[in-house]
Amino acid sequence: MRIVRVSVKGLPSYGVVDGNVVRLLASAPYEGVEFTGDQVDWDESALLAPVEPGKVVCVGKNYADHAAEMGGEVPPEPVIFLKPSTSVIGPGAAIVLPPQSSEVHHEAELAVVIGRTCRNAQPDEVAAHVLGYTVANDVTARDLQRSDGQWTRAKGFDTFCPIGPWIETDIDVSDGTQPLMPTVYYTRLSAKIVTALTAHTNEGPLYEVDMRLRPSGRAGPLANSLEGFETYH
């Protein structure tokens, strides 16, 4: 199922893509899907970000090559940072380049959409809390990231987190064989969820897509296996 948010007569509405139409939902899909009976044409739908996060929880430096790009080693523990909800925009919306930066980079990422509130979830509890997956762009002012020493400003500007076009609910990551979409780990409330879902991208189709989109153009596997991530917690 592909869940979207669209603008209908100037108001946001959730819907499900069904061929050439979007079937509108009565409410957000987190408590289940209830159709209103109304629909709009896909070609005439103005897509919004498919989620409205309170925050975007991200994992940094989980690629060996990217850590080297940043001039450092793979950290002994994962680097966790946040992007504010004000950075989120929908697919196709304009990214506003801040005048303070002359080096803005894009980073294609897999976004994991959490559908149920959780805390301190164990790896075998992850699937029950995941609504689905989408694509995010972790836009970064790289020069400010280097000069500031922390990442809030460099990654937190308005428009610096495009998300979409939809939430895909029918991807099975249990065996790591399904090709995933392009690695921000989205609206997670627990680093344990990051642990389980990140590991399934190890040397799989994800990093090939992700790395092709990186400014460096270099590809390489994730820095750690599942066993390596588990040692962080």
Side-chain angles (χ1 to χ4, degrees):
M1 183 167 55
R2 291 175 172 177
I3 299 172
V4 294
R5 281 178 69 240
V6 294
S7 179
V8 180
K9 297 181 179 179
L11 297 175
S13 179
Y14 283 92
V16 173
V17 180
D18 186 1
N20 293 323
V21 301
V22 176
R23 300 173 62 197
L24 301 181
L25 300 180
S27 61
Y30 303 107
E31 300 298 329
V33 171
E34 179 183 352
F35 293 100
T36 64
D38 297 326
Q39 63 185 40
V40 294
D41 291 339
W42 171 255
D43 292 338
E44 299 177 1
S45 299
L47 288 177
L48 307 173
V51 287
E52 301 174 275
K55 59 180 176 291
V56 182
V57 184
C58 314
V59 179
K61 292 190 175 182
N62 58 328
Y63 285 92
D65 271 10
H66 189 42
E69 282 179 348
M70 296 295 293
E73 301 292 330
V74 175
E77 295 189 1
V79 176
I80 306 296
F81 63 95
L82 303 178
K83 292 175 83 82
S85 59
T86 49
S87 68
V88 173
I89 55 175
I95 296 169
V96 179
L97 301 180
Q100 302 96 319
S101 174
S102 59
E103 191 182 353
V104 175
H105 288 183
H106 61 274
E107 297 185 44
E109 309 285 6
L110 172 69
V112 182
V113 181
I114 300 305
R116 295 173 54 201
T117 300
C118 61
R119 185 176 183 181
N120 297 325
Q122 298 303 308
D124 60 356
E125 300 171 328
V126 169
H129 298 279
V130 174
L131 176 64
Y133 306 86
T134 187
V135 179
N137 186 351
D138 178 20
V139 182
T140 304
R142 195 69 75 198
D143 47 357
L144 300 183
Q145 184 181 23
R146 288 193 297 266
S147 65
D148 287 358
Q150 49 80 30
W151 301 357
T152 302
R153 181 168 67 140
K155 291 177 174 287
F157 285 103
D158 290 356
T159 76
F160 266 30
C161 191
I163 296 176
W166 51 66
I167 303 168
E168 175 60 68
T169 64
D170 296 329
I171 293 178
D172 179 8
V173 299
S174 59
D175 61 3
T177 60
Q178 283 240 25
L180 297 179
M181 295 170 290
T183 27
V184 154
Y185 301 91
Y186 179 65
T187 63
R188 283 177 302 252
L189 303 180
S190 167
K192 291 290 187 181
I193 294 176
V194 175
T195 298
L197 291 173
T198 305
H200 288 300
T201 68
N202 189 35
E203 300 186 0
L206 172 61
Y207 83 78
E208 296 171 357
V209 173
D210 190 8
M211 288 300 186
R212 280 203 301 270
L213 293 174
R214 288 191 183 282
S216 72
R218 296 198 298 271
L222 285 168
N224 295 279
S225 65
L226 175 59
E227 290 74 17
F229 275 107
E230 286 177 340
T231 63
Y232 297 150
H233 307 290

